[in-house]
Amino acid sequence: MKLYIAPYAPNPRRVIMFIAEKSISSIETVSINLQEGQHRTDAFKAKSPLSQIPVLELDDGRCLTESRAICTYIEALIPDPNLMGVDAFERAHIEMWDRRMELLFSVPLMMWVRHGNPMLAAVERNQTAEVASFNQGQAMRMAKWLNSELASREWIAGDRFTIADITAVCGVDFAKMNRWRPGDDLPHLKRWRDAIATRAAGQVAA
C-alpha cells in the first residue's frame, strides 16, 4: 500500500501518527508538494478527485481518501493496539470525542492558520482575516473547555490513548505555525500534549 501525504500537513499527519502508534512499517509514503500544485494534476486527481490528501492506495489500485476513513480501514486490518474502541459503546464513545476534536477544535485551529498565516497563501488562495479571527476565537474557547475536561482524566476519550487524541494534537501542533501552544494557563492541556510526545505517535514530525 502507498500513503500519499504532504509533509507537516495535519490531515496526513493524523494517519501517519495512527500508523506509528500501531508500529506499521509496510505502508510506503509518497510526498506531494502542495505549494507546487502537485495535488491538482490529472494524475493525482485520478486517485483523489477533490485533490485532497491523504490518499491510501491499496495494492489493487483502489484508493481511499479522508483521514478518518483511512484510519478506520487500517484499524480493521490491524486491530491491535486498539485505537477506535473494542465494543459497541466504546467505539461510539471514542467516535463522539473524535468528532468533537475534529469539528470543534482541530478544524478551527487549522482554519486559523490557513487564513491567518501568509506562508500558506499559495495553498489557501483566498485568505480572509475575518475567517482567521473567528476560528481563532472558537479554537481558544475549545482549548479552555478541553483543559477543564482533562483535569479529571489522562486522555481525551477516557483512560487510554485513542484516535481522538491524535485528531486533537494534529490541530494543536499545526497551530505552532501561528506561534500558539498550550502554556501554563492551560496546565491540563499542556500535560496531555507533553504525554503524547513520549509515545510512538508523538515521534511523528509536526
Side-chain angles (χ1 to χ4, degrees), residues 21-156:
E21 193 68 18
K22 287 181 174 287
S23 300
I24 300 169
S25 59
S26 58
I27 299 177
E28 177 187 354
T29 57
V30 180
S31 292
I32 299 296
N33 192 315
L34 301 183
Q35 299 284 351
E36 294 180 0
Q38 291 180 353
H39 58 307
R40 298 192 182 98
T41 64
D42 290 341
F44 190 77
K45 284 184 176 180
K47 305 178 190 299
S48 177
L50 296 176
S51 298
Q52 295 174 320
I53 53 167
V55 178
L56 182 67
E57 184 175 22
L58 309 187
D59 292 338
D60 62 7
R62 290 180 296 170
C63 292
L64 290 170
T65 63
E66 303 297 340
S67 57
R68 185 55 154 81
I70 293 170
C71 290
T72 298
Y73 179 76
I74 293 170
E75 179 90 344
L77 289 182
I78 305 171
D80 295 316
N82 181 277
L83 297 174
M84 300 178 81
V86 296
D87 59 30
F89 178 81
E90 191 185 33
R91 282 192 293 271
H93 181 77
I94 291 171
E95 183 174 355
M96 174 185 75
W97 277 101
D98 191 39
R99 293 286 285 172
R100 286 173 174 171
M101 292 302 98
E102 181 175 22
L103 298 177
L104 301 177
F105 192 38
S106 283
V107 167
L109 285 168
M110 294 175 198
M111 294 298 287
W112 172 35
V113 174
R114 289 180 61 169
H115 282 269
N117 193 306
M119 292 177 61
L120 296 182
V123 177
E124 193 66 50
R125 294 177 174 178
N126 297 303
Q127 286 186 324
T128 306
E130 290 80 4
V131 172
S133 178
F134 174 83
N135 281 282
Q136 180 185 10
Q138 168 65 26
M140 294 305 102
R141 286 189 293 272
M142 192 65 181
K144 291 179 181 179
W145 179 79
L146 186 56
N147 181 69
S148 66
E149 287 288 309
L150 287 169
S152 61
R153 61 183 181 274
E154 185 175 4
W155 302 106
I156 285 174

Side-chain angles (χ1 to χ4, degrees), residues 135-193:
N135 281 282
Q136 180 185 10
Q138 168 65 26
M140 294 305 102
R141 286 189 293 272
M142 192 65 181
K144 291 179 181 179
W145 179 79
L146 186 56
N147 181 69
S148 66
E149 287 288 309
L150 287 169
S152 61
R153 61 183 181 274
E154 185 175 4
W155 302 106
I156 285 174
D159 61 359
R160 69 184 184 90
F161 184 83
T162 70
I163 190 174
D165 298 288
I166 292 174
T167 299
V169 81
C170 285
V172 168
D173 287 352
F174 192 56
K176 289 190 296 184
M177 291 188 68
N178 280 8
R179 299 184 179 181
W180 181 81
R181 293 199 73 174
D184 293 339
D185 58 326
L186 300 168
H188 307 297
L189 193 62
K190 183 177 184 295
R191 182 269 307 159
W192 163 84
R193 178 61 190 90

